[in-house]
Amino acid sequence: MEIMITLIVTFFAGMGAGLGTGFAGMSAAAVISPMLITFLHMDPYMAVGIALSSDVLASAVSSYTYYKNKNLDVKNGLIMMVSVLAFTMVGSYAASLVPSVAMGNFSVFMTFLLGVKFIVRPVMTTKDAMQQTSAKKRVIQSLLCGTVIGFICGFIGAGGGMMMLLILTTVLGYELKTAVGTSVFIMTFTALVGAVSHFMIGGTPNWLVLVLCVVFTLIWARIAAVFANRAEPKTLNRATGLVLVVLGAVVMGFNFLT
């Protein structure tokens, strides 16, 4: 019975995380962690480690799918990734100097609002419009935005994928497919660093739960990424918005239960 419950929980956790990753570059931690904590009564630190591990392969496969379809800005993605990783550590150190504040609900609420935004005001920027920004300006913007995202993620401890998608589409003017592709590309490396550090500090994870979450997240992320790259911009905006609204509402419900 216990194995069956584990299978059901990890399936739905992986499905939600995979759809969020493939459609919107969302971190699996936003979905998997609260489900493992709520239904499997897992230690929160270990739940986050398993969620980040699930993120690595799912994000890698999704980013490859976006790359094959020429919807990934590798150069500026690498620049942003370096500044995100560096300032995540700065943010973490800054957070250790001040009283701890629970900011997880803010990240989830932002996911919900971003979903509403994509439905009501879809991102219709084209690749031609993206090309109008000079390469030098794009590099500077990527560095500055990566700095802001990294510091906030390190300080708050959540919301990286959503913040990247928001900034890539609204501040940097990316069209939606390229924004998601670049976001999952960055998340592959940030999730890997986070997962390794969690297991080095927290110890050996529950291998059954880890493997099931990784497999289910990978499958659904692949499905979502293939659909997203074939969809028309308006359809993709609505699908992405719907996924974010549903995931945001569900995770807020889980947080309320705990």
Side-chain angles (χ1 to χ4, degrees):
M1 184 65 182
E2 186 176 335
I3 293 178
M4 183 61 67
I5 292 173
T6 299
L7 188 64
I8 293 171
V9 171
T10 53
F11 174 79
F12 283 105
M15 180 173 68
L19 290 175
T21 299
F23 274 119
M26 179 177 161
S27 171
V31 179
I32 292 179
S33 300
M35 289 195 69
L36 297 184
I37 295 166
T38 302
F39 296 109
L40 299 184
H41 309 293
M42 186 172 287
D43 173 70
Y45 193 84
M46 190 56 66
V48 172
I50 289 175
L52 289 170
S53 300
S54 304
D55 242 344
V56 178
L57 277 180
S59 294
V61 168
S62 296
S63 62
Y64 178 69
T65 303
Y66 280 92
Y67 176 75
K68 279 201 309 180
N69 289 274
K70 296 180 170 51
N71 292 318
L72 199 163
D73 185 354
V74 177
K75 177 186 172 183
N76 291 298
L78 285 170
I79 292 170
M80 186 177 289
M81 180 185 70
V82 171
S83 56
V84 166
L85 289 173
F87 279 86
T88 295
M89 291 186 282
V90 174
S92 296
Y93 177 72
S96 70
L97 302 177
V98 298
S100 60
V101 186
M103 294 293 288
N105 289 334
F106 172 77
S107 172
V108 176
F109 187 59
M110 187 174 73
T111 299
F112 180 85
L113 289 182
L114 191 57
V116 173
K117 186 261 181 192
F118 282 128
I119 295 173
V120 177
R121 294 188 61 187
V123 177
M124 301 303 290
T125 306
T126 63
K127 288 188 178 179
D128 289 337
M130 281 179 58
Q131 303 301 327
Q132 294 176 7
T133 302
S134 69
K136 182 179 178 181
K137 182 179 180 181
R138 184 74 78 195
V139 168
I140 294 171
Q141 287 178 327
S142 297
L143 277 170
L144 292 175
C145 291
T147 298
V148 173
I149 293 169
F151 184 83
I152 292 176
C153 290
F155 194 80
I156 295 175
M162 286 300 91
M163 286 206 59
M164 270 187 276
L165 185 62
L166 179 64
I167 287 178
L168 286 171
T169 53
T170 57
V171 179
L172 300 184
Y174 278 56
E175 59 96 22
L176 185 56
K177 290 181 184 179
T178 307
V180 176
T182 305
S183 178
V184 290
F185 173 69
I186 297 170
M187 288 300 296
T188 302
F189 299 96
T190 56
L192 178 61
V193 172
V196 170
S197 64
H198 265 70
F199 293 142
M200 285 179 65
I201 296 170
T204 306
N206 182 316
W207 290 109
L208 175 62
V209 175
L210 173 63
V211 171
L212 288 174
C213 283
V214 168
V215 170
F216 290 138
T217 304
L218 178 62
I219 292 170
W220 285 100
R222 170 65 178 166
I223 292 170
V226 170
F227 174 84
N229 279 278
R230 293 177 179 174
E232 292 296 319
K234 188 170 285 188
T235 303
L236 179 58
N237 272 273
R238 287 174 178 167
T240 303
L242 182 62
V243 167
L244 293 178
V245 166
V246 171
L247 290 179
V250 169
V251 175
M252 280 192 284
F254 289 152
N255 288 342
F256 178 76
L257 287 174
T258 55

